[in-house]
Amino acid sequence: NFSGSQCMVVLDDTFILTAGLDGAIYEWKVKDYKRNRENVLKGCAYTSVTGAYNTNTFIAVGSDRKLKEMDESQIVKVH
């Protein structure tokens, strides 16, 4: 269920990233629509997310106006 999602990006036809106003970013497997990874930051309404093909890294921006680089569900850099 992708309700409440602000953005969806298909990485390589096997995964979808969703960013939500609830502060959650999820990576979904297209084949079975199951969550593969997640990152939740309460108090930050995410407005956009993108990922690099064939990597574990994705970048998101939200209501806190900070660009966050995430790897394996952990925030590794904030710009």
Side-chain angles (χ1 to χ4, degrees), residues 50-76:
T50 189
Y53 174 74
N54 214 12
T55 70
N56 290 328
T57 302
F58 52 93
I59 297 171
V61 66
S63 60
D64 62 356
R65 296 195 232 174
K66 295 183 179 174
L67 196 63
K68 295 175 192 69
E69 183 180 336
M70 300 172 203
D71 189 15
E72 292 298 325
S73 302
Q74 299 296 319
I75 297 173
V76 294

Side-chain angles (χ1 to χ4, degrees), residues 5-77:
S5 297
Q6 291 300 307
C7 180
M8 285 191 250
V9 178
V10 177
L11 296 177
D12 63 357
D13 294 335
T14 59
F15 295 100
I16 294 174
L17 290 174
T18 62
L21 294 175
D22 59 354
I25 293 176
Y26 298 116
E27 180 184 74
W28 303 84
K29 291 182 182 179
V30 173
K31 183 178 180 180
D32 55 13
Y33 297 108
K34 291 190 179 181
R35 273 193 298 216
N36 191 46
R37 289 190 292 167
E38 67 180 64
N39 184 286
V40 179
L41 181 61
K42 297 292 182 188
C44 179
Y46 283 112
T47 55
S48 187
V49 63
T50 189
Y53 174 74
N54 214 12
T55 70
N56 290 328
T57 302
F58 52 93
I59 297 171
V61 66
S63 60
D64 62 356
R65 296 195 232 174
K66 295 183 179 174
L67 196 63
K68 295 175 192 69
E69 183 180 336
M70 300 172 203
D71 189 15
E72 292 298 325
S73 302
Q74 299 296 319
I75 297 173
V76 294
K77 282 188 184 177

